[in-house]
Amino acid sequence: MQRNITVFGSSVVDLMSRAPHLPAPAETVKGSFFMQSPGGKGFNQAIAARKAGVDVAMITKLGRDSLSEIPLRAMREAGLSEEYLFFSDSVPTGTALIMVDETTGQNAIVIVPGACSTITDADVAGASEQICNSEFLLLQLEINQDANEKAAELAKEHGVKVIVNTAPYQPVSDDFLRGVYLVTPNEVEAEELTGVAVTDKERADRAAELLFAKGVRNVLITLGSRGVYLNEGGKSEIIPAYRVRAVDTTGAGDAFNGGLVAALAEGKTLREAAQFANALAALSVQRLGTTASMPSRAEIDSFLSQTADLTGQK
Ligand code: ADP
């Protein structure tokens, strides 16, 4: 039977435009394309896990506005329950205003987290039964941190394994990290967290030691196209990524973390889960978009059976 998993985090609507060039200050540029899509790290990770074939409880907060319809529709389509959705009466649904230069692919982004940065103690209390009955609770750093702290505290008290994807990076307290089952920074965040530039495996070992000293139990650092560094409290290794032609790596970290928690939900070991997440993320970077690029379970299984030898893994 599947283990109970919860993704607690942000939900924002991506408002994306493409234009011949990015506007300079005070300039107005006529664009060629506009798209609204659901996003936010929490939301993306929950969708990735759900599409990978497991049941996921998603806890997030939206505004009472028409923009909230976008994540709501996507949740219904993906089969995610709305039971732990909270709504702000006064703060709008979060947005990410994304401008993309259609020639260079460069972008400029303003994120307004909105309602999902106003998660109250009462909201966390409203979801406490789900949190406490979970085996794994996956958090990111895109909501108000006091809500993450409350949820993590509750989870740890009840023996729930807390996974913290330290993105987007912001400083966190030692209390928050103490007793965390797993942290999953990317290379940049690993350096921000520890002060150690993760340029090779030895330095990754040093960064991991510093995190163990803070009471974290396992460390996984995503290394982009190089794969992931995994340290389970002593033994460390780099699990290579799959060699694929990447067209859009936006959301690769979200794909990875969603895949990881989905595999853990199925009882896989951390190492097996990291391999599964590598495959899920490798599929997602070959397509445009974030939630739209998350593969289905059938696609992941077929990729895994065809490419078992691509990384030298079996
Ligand atoms: P983030 O998006 O948070 O910066 P990374 O760039 O480290 O995270 O990517 C997360 C994971 O996505 C990697 O560990 C790897 O599994 C996968 N990935 C990212 N880029 C590529 C790529 N070019 N080819 C294959 N897999 C990739």
Side-chain angles (χ1 to χ4, degrees):
M1 208 186 74
Q2 190 210 303
R3 287 140 173 90
N4 192 347
I5 55 168
T6 302
V7 180
F8 180 35
S10 58
S11 173
V12 304
V13 175
D14 291 344
L15 304 171
M16 194 268 272
S17 63
R18 291 168 71 85
H21 63 266
L22 295 178
E27 185 187 4
T28 301
V29 176
K30 194 169 173 187
S32 57
F33 177 81
F34 174 73
M35 188 174 72
Q36 309 182 76
S37 50
K41 289 186 182 296
F43 190 84
N44 293 343
Q45 295 180 16
I47 291 278
R50 178 70 194 128
K51 284 175 91 173
V54 297
D55 279 331
V56 183
M58 166 84 209
I59 307 175
T60 190
K61 192 162 183 174
L62 305 171
R64 289 197 192 280
D65 47 27
S66 57
L67 277 181
S68 67
E69 282 303 321
I70 291 166
L72 281 171
R73 199 179 317 128
M75 286 180 78
R76 284 173 204 144
E77 277 169 17
L80 280 173
S81 162
E82 291 163 43
E83 194 175 348
Y84 300 106
L85 275 185
F86 296 98
F87 288 89
S88 169
D89 290 323
S90 54
V91 182
T93 300
T95 45
L97 310 173
I98 307 168
M99 294 184 290
V100 180
D101 180 321
E102 62 194 15
T103 326
T104 64
Q106 264 196 324
N107 61 33
I109 304 177
V110 174
I111 293 190
V112 185
C116 70
S117 63
T118 66
I119 300 175
T120 62
D121 287 0
D123 295 333
V124 177
S128 66
E129 205 181 316
Q130 170 58 34
I131 293 172
C132 298
N133 286 324
S134 299
E135 175 122 6
F136 294 96
L137 170 70
L138 174 59
L139 307 173
Q140 313 77 30
L141 303 181
E142 206 165 44
I143 60 168
N144 47 309
Q145 182 58 12
D146 59 323
N148 269 336
E149 283 170 8
K150 262 266 170 305
E153 190 186 311
L154 199 61
K156 289 177 209 165
E157 275 169 21
H158 288 81
V160 179
K161 298 187 183 91
V162 179
I163 304 173
V164 181
N165 173 223
T166 50
Y169 179 76
Q170 57 165 301
V172 291
S173 70
D174 285 356
D175 262 1
F176 178 63
L177 290 178
R178 192 170 311 118
V180 160
Y181 172 71
L182 172 70
V183 288
T184 63
N186 65 14
E187 286 164 285
V188 177
E189 293 148 11
E191 179 171 356
E192 285 167 323
L193 265 172
T194 62
V196 178
V198 180
T199 46
D200 55 29
K201 184 164 172 294
E202 264 163 37
R203 282 172 169 268
D205 284 338
R206 199 173 324 149
E209 284 307 324
L210 291 168
L211 290 163
F212 292 143
K214 288 187 192 287
V216 171
R217 288 157 55 199
N218 298 283
V219 174
L220 190 157
I221 304 173
T222 63
L223 308 169
S225 60
R226 287 186 292 127
V228 293
Y229 164 89
L230 176 64
N231 191 327
E232 297 181 74
K235 188 168 67 70
S236 70
E237 65 181 315
I238 288 178
I239 305 171
Y242 290 91
R243 279 191 295 275
V244 295
R245 219 170 66 83
V247 296
D248 180 8
T249 58
T250 324
D254 292 340
F256 185 90
N257 280 279
L260 188 81
V261 77
L264 291 171
E266 291 182 345
K268 292 190 164 61
T269 64
L270 254 186
R271 186 173 194 281
E272 291 165 345
Q275 282 172 331
F276 181 86
N278 258 347
L280 195 158
L283 282 166
S284 85
V285 300
Q286 293 177 75
R287 299 182 195 151
L288 290 175
T290 44
T291 50
S293 74
M294 304 301 178
S296 68
R297 182 54 176 259
E299 289 170 318
I300 302 166
D301 285 344
S302 132
F303 179 79
L304 281 170
S305 64
Q306 286 165 24
T307 57
D309 50 3
L310 269 189
T311 62
Q313 303 168 6
K314 269 282 168 203

